[in-house]
Each structure stands twice: as structure tokens, then as C-alpha cells.
Amino acid sequence: MTGKICGTGSCIPEAVWDNQKLSEMVETSDEWIRERTGVAARHIALGEETTVSLAAGAARAALENAGMSPEEIQLIIVATVSPDKLMPTTSCEVQKQIGAVNATCFDLNAACTGFLFALNTAQAYLSQGIYRTALIIGAESLSQLTNWEDRSTCILFGDGAGAAVLRASETGIYGLVTHSVGDMGEVLTCSSRNRKEYANGPAAPETYMQMNGKEVFKFAVSKVPEVIGELLEQEGLTTADIRYFLLHQANERIVRSVAKRMKTDMERFPVNIENYGNTSSASIPILMDEMNRKGLLKPGDKLIFSGFGAGLSYGASLMEWQ
Ligand code: UT7
């Protein structure tokens, strides 16, 4: 038994901050940001928009796409590194907003690898027959953790949410390889949460994301091809068997470098970071939703999802589009 994806959705904040706007905030330029990251603009959650509202919006869109009612969902997992609150969990807040009264809900934090780990977790429940339906969501308001005076990080990140509905299926394949390297945790940290808590005074530095971008970059371009290679070998497949590689949209240069190292055409490594920036756990499901809605994913297509990020953690999962 596996879980097949039967619906996808996403929810993107209305406000768009392009590179020009950022160049008015820090010393940078549209040219530098595009060249080094591939990002042209990112969406920022403002006003009533929160991690919960984005997650709920993506969930509703995915349920509609699946033709399912919220009551049919038995499990909700939200992957997020930027929850609005520690308690109640984002997943329980989503449950309340969408009326998924029969679901068991929990959050999962694996930073940018979060959606991949949520997908693996849902697959484990579905393949064991514990639940027959699941809703998994990657949702982030990274703008709350971003130091808007630090040009080495603020140019990269954006807000948004993506979701997928899964149903247990007698057919289909699923494989995964995951790793964590806690020894490298210091290269990407945020040791206290949510800037909103510090609204009355200058925010403490530890409330912002701190990143050694170069180290994360080097890690990603070496470990992502390696883990995809491990997964392919484990499943007895080659790159030629894979229709698309959906990578965490961290930086377009990382995706290009992985494609090059794997000697695979960029056409099979879709990229949408230009319009959203790096949305951490939301990037893979937003990309998948865009591709699904464009009709690019066909039954029988073998897909590899690969994520990496703070922890550090990384992994790759294989599934067939049904
Ligand atoms: O989502 C998972 C976790 N995150 C990632 O995967 C991020 C991985 N890392 C990256 O994407 C890249 O390292 C960054 C986009 C963050 C930075 O790009 P880079 O090519 O590694 O730049 P750098 O930090 O090596 O800086 C190169 C130069 C430096 O100037 P000097 O020392 O060469 O004179 C920086 O001071 O560019 C300068 N610089 C900038 N210039 C204009 C750094 N940030 C900026 C900026 N605008 N925003």
C-alpha cells in the first residue's frame, strides 16, 4: 500500500516585494540577486495573513482539487519552521479553520526539508493502513524570522504555503532516503522565535535567521546529488527513469548545479524560485501544485522530491504520479 497524491493546492500572500524594493532597504541590486539566486520577487504575509491562514488556504485548494470534503481527512501534518504560535499547533488551527473534524493533527519541523519529511510520515501511516487519507502542508511566514537589514539573508526568502491530499492506494511505488547531520547545525540557525514578540523594542539578533550561505550552498550541491543517487540505486532505477526532479527551491544556482552534477537536462529540474524566493518547507508543494495545475504531471510519471536545510537535514523520495 502507498499514498497517492490526489490533489494539490497553494496559497501565496498578496504583497509582492521585488528586488527593486529590497535594494531600497539594503545595499544590493536586482542584478546581484537574480544572478546569485534566480529570485526576482517574493511574496510577504502582511495584515491578516499568517502561517495558519496560508496553510488553510493551501489546504482548501488541495481539497477542492482532490474533490474531497474536509471531513474525509484523517491526518493533517503541517511542516513549518515559522509557526504563528507554539501552541496550539498550526495543524490544529488549520483543522479548525477548514472543518476537518475527523483528522488527527500535528506539526513537524525539519526546516526546508519539512515537506519531504511530512510526505514520508504520511506515507508511513497510509502504507501501514493506520489512516486512509492525509493532508500534508508546508507553510511559512519566513518574513517574521528575517532580518530585513541583513542583505546576506533577506534577499533569499519569501512566504507561502503548499499542500497535497493523499489517499491510500493498492498500487504505486514509494521509496525514500533521508539523513541528518546535527554536527553542522550552526550554519543555519534561529534560536528564538517570531519577531512579533519583540514588537516593542529592537529585536534580539537570535530572533532572526542566521545563515552561513556558502556552507549551506556547498552542502546542498554535494549532498543532493548523492542522496538522489542513493535513492535511485536502492530502487533499482537510473536518472533516465525519472520524469521530474522537484528540488527544494533554495537557490536556482543550487538546482542548476545539481542537474549538471547528475548530467541531466534542466528541463527535468523545474524551477519557480524567480517568483517566490526560498519558501522553505512550502517550496516543493508550491512547485508541485503549479506543475499539477499546468497539466505537466502525467499518470505513471516517476518523480523524485529532494529537500535539504537547517539541521542540517536532507533527503529524497520517489513516487509515481497516479
Ligand atoms: O533553504 C535552505 C537553506 N539555504 C540555502 O540553501 C542558501 C544557500 N546559499 C545561498 O543561496 C548563497 O550562499 C547566498 C545567496 C545566500 C549568497 O550568495 P553567495 O554567492 O554565496 O555570496 P557570498 O555570501 O559569497 O558573497 C559574495 C559577495 C560578498 O562580497 P565580497 O566579500 O566578495 O566583496 C558579499 O559581501 O557578495 C556580497 N553580497 C552581496 N552583494 C550584493 C552578499 N550579499 C549581497 C547582496 N547584494 N544581497
Side-chain angles (χ1 to χ4, degrees):
M1 192 112 77
T2 63
K4 69 170 179 181
I5 293 180
C6 52
T8 63
S10 50
C11 183
I12 310 298
E14 241 177 79
V16 179
W17 288 10
D18 63 12
N19 292 343
Q20 176 58 35
K21 180 172 172 73
L22 263 64
S23 71
E24 291 157 16
M25 296 161 67
V26 290
E27 200 183 327
T28 190
S29 64
D30 178 47
E31 193 191 359
W32 193 95
I33 302 172
R34 279 178 195 266
E35 213 169 84
R36 297 293 182 117
T37 70
V39 179
R42 71 286 296 144
H43 294 249
I44 304 293
L46 299 173
E48 300 294 299
E49 291 170 328
T50 61
T51 300
V52 169
S53 78
L54 296 173
R60 285 191 195 95
L63 283 167
E64 195 184 334
N65 187 239
M68 282 169 68
S69 71
E71 293 84 0
E72 287 177 81
I73 297 297
Q74 296 178 320
L75 171 69
I76 300 177
I77 306 174
V78 175
T80 183
V81 72
S82 51
D84 306 320
K85 302 173 187 161
L86 286 178
M87 297 183 285
T89 61
T90 306
S91 50
C92 281
E93 294 278 283
V94 169
Q95 175 195 34
K96 184 170 75 177
Q97 288 212 0
I98 68 174
V101 289
N102 297 310
T104 296
C105 311
F106 63 90
D107 291 2
L108 177 160
N109 177 353
C112 301
T113 326
F115 185 80
L116 191 81
F117 286 7
L119 179 62
N120 292 343
T121 307
Q123 288 286 351
Y125 277 106
L126 296 175
S127 67
Q128 291 298 307
I130 298 168
Y131 301 117
R132 294 205 53 83
T133 55
L135 169 62
I136 52 170
I137 306 167
E140 304 288 1
S141 302
L142 296 176
S143 56
Q144 295 295 328
L145 307 177
T146 300
N147 180 352
W148 292 102
E149 293 174 2
D150 174 11
R151 70 176 184 174
S152 71
T153 52
C154 75
I155 45 95
L156 197 58
F157 297 104
D159 300 340
V165 175
L166 287 96
R167 220 187 240 288
S169 165
E170 299 296 335
T171 57
I173 53 167
Y174 196 76
L176 65 97
V177 177
T178 55
H179 298 288
S180 295
V181 190
D183 277 354
M184 288 189 73
E186 285 309 305
V187 302
L188 183 44
T189 64
C190 184
S191 38
S192 181
R193 57 183 295 281
N194 214 313
R195 280 184 63 194
K196 273 185 184 158
E197 306 299 314
Y198 301 88
N200 296 327
E206 66 270 19
T207 65
Y208 296 127
M209 272 186 286
Q210 319 253 345
M211 179 172 72
N212 181 335
K214 266 203 181 327
E215 284 303 316
V216 182
F217 194 101
K218 277 195 290 186
F219 177 84
V221 298
S222 70
K223 293 299 181 187
V224 172
E226 200 176 290
V227 76
I228 293 176
E230 265 185 84
L231 177 62
L232 289 170
E233 196 181 327
Q234 175 183 293
E235 301 299 318
L237 299 170
T238 69
T239 51
D241 296 310
I242 307 303
R243 180 63 191 98
Y244 290 113
F245 298 86
L246 280 80
L247 266 51
H248 165 45
Q249 303 287 294
N251 181 324
E252 185 172 336
R253 282 195 297 138
I254 293 178
V255 182
R256 289 191 178 278
S257 167
V258 171
K260 196 170 163 195
R261 283 175 191 228
M262 290 176 51
K263 300 185 175 53
T264 305
D265 198 277
M266 264 305 281
E267 182 267 334
R268 291 197 278 145
F269 283 79
V271 173
N272 70 354
I273 193 170
E274 183 179 6
N275 303 320
Y276 305 108
N278 175 338
T279 57
S280 190
S281 70
S283 84
I284 291 177
I286 292 173
L287 179 64
M288 175 169 59
D289 183 46
E290 275 190 0
M291 295 178 72
N292 183 25
R293 282 166 198 272
K294 284 180 189 161
L296 295 172
L297 304 174
K298 309 276 187 239
D301 279 353
K302 289 188 180 65
L303 309 175
I304 281 185
F305 301 95
S306 183
F308 55 90
L312 298 178
S313 297
Y314 63 107
S317 300
L318 165 81
M319 79 184 294
E320 204 171 44
W321 195 257
Q322 293 191 51

